[in-house]
């Protein structure tokens, strides 16, 4: 079973409702094998999408996060014209997922990062705990992570 998420098109606080509706309507609330998050390409909306949808991924399932490279891509469009320069880079979410991987190996088994996407494999023994709060789950020695 596969879900392709684009809740970032909502552009607001209704992402949780949209994601819950998507999974309950199309998948009966059951956990699925693969989530392809082609969300908004920006940190805040993609983070929210991950936090609300990861619980719907079955243990051992795969979450693909696309287009995490845009803020670091070569070319005038990205570096000179600075498209989306008012948005925080999606690569920040990858840094947070790496920190989550270290903090909670019971949730994430593996992360493979490619130039245009990342593959996050959920741990085969991951508990179903509901929507995640990366702020609460990531151990940071009392420090605050500041996305760019």
């Amino acid at each position: 079973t596969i879900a392709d998420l684009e809740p970032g098109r909502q552009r607001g606080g209704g992402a949780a409702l949209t994601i819950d509706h998507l999974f309950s309507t199309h998948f009966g609330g059951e956990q699925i094998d693969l989530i392809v998050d082609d969300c908004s390409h920006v940190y805040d909306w993609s983070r929210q999408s991950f936090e609300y949808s990861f619980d719907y991924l079955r243990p051992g399932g795969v979450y693909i996060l696309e287009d995490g490279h845009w803020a670091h891509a070569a070319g005038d469009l990205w570096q000179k014209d600075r498209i989306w320069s008012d948005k925080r880079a999606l690569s920040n979410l990858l840094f947070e997922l790496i920190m989550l991987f270290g903090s909670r190996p019971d949730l994430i088994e593996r992360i493979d990062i490619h130039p245009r996407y990342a593959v996050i494999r959920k741990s085969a023994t991951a508990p179903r705990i509901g929507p995640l709060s990366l702020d609460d789950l990531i151990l940071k020695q009392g420090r605050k992570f500041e996305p760019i």
Side-chain angles (χ1 to χ4, degrees):
T1 310
I2 300 171
D4 186 3
L5 299 181
E6 293 193 48
R9 298 194 189 285
Q10 271 259 115
R11 305 289 192 258
L17 180 60
T18 301
I19 291 169
D20 285 338
H21 178 75
L22 170 79
F23 284 106
S24 63
T25 301
H26 298 287
F27 304 105
E30 297 295 319
Q31 290 181 303
I32 61 175
D33 302 312
L34 173 67
I35 296 174
V36 178
D37 188 332
D38 191 13
C39 192
S40 63
H41 307 331
V42 296
Y43 168 74
D44 297 293
W45 296 321
S46 294
R47 184 181 200 258
Q48 187 176 44
S49 176
F50 180 84
E51 287 182 322
Y52 283 106
S53 61
F54 192 72
D55 193 53
Y56 287 102
L57 188 64
R58 74 162 173 79
V62 172
Y63 192 102
I64 297 176
L65 184 62
E66 294 187 329
D67 300 321
H69 71 292
W70 64 265
H72 316 288
D76 286 350
L77 176 65
W78 302 105
Q79 299 305 319
K80 185 178 176 187
D81 299 336
R82 297 181 34 216
I83 189 170
W84 293 339
S85 62
D86 62 328
K87 306 288 186 227
R88 296 193 284 185
L90 182 55
S91 55
N92 290 293
L93 180 56
L94 296 176
F95 294 132
E96 285 187 308
L97 294 178
I98 291 167
M99 290 187 282
L100 179 63
F101 180 48
S103 300
R104 293 292 305 266
D106 63 318
L107 294 178
I108 294 180
E109 179 178 301
R110 178 182 177 131
I111 299 174
D112 295 308
I113 299 175
H114 303 268
R116 301 219 184 304
Y117 64 95
V119 179
I120 299 97
R121 181 170 298 277
K122 191 171 189 176
S123 172
T125 59
R128 191 156 192 189
I129 59 175
L132 303 179
S133 169
L134 295 178
D135 290 330
D136 293 339
L137 293 171
I138 296 171
L139 303 175
K140 301 178 286 277
Q141 299 180 321
R143 300 175 197 184
K144 182 171 174 54
F145 177 72
E146 294 290 341
I148 60 166

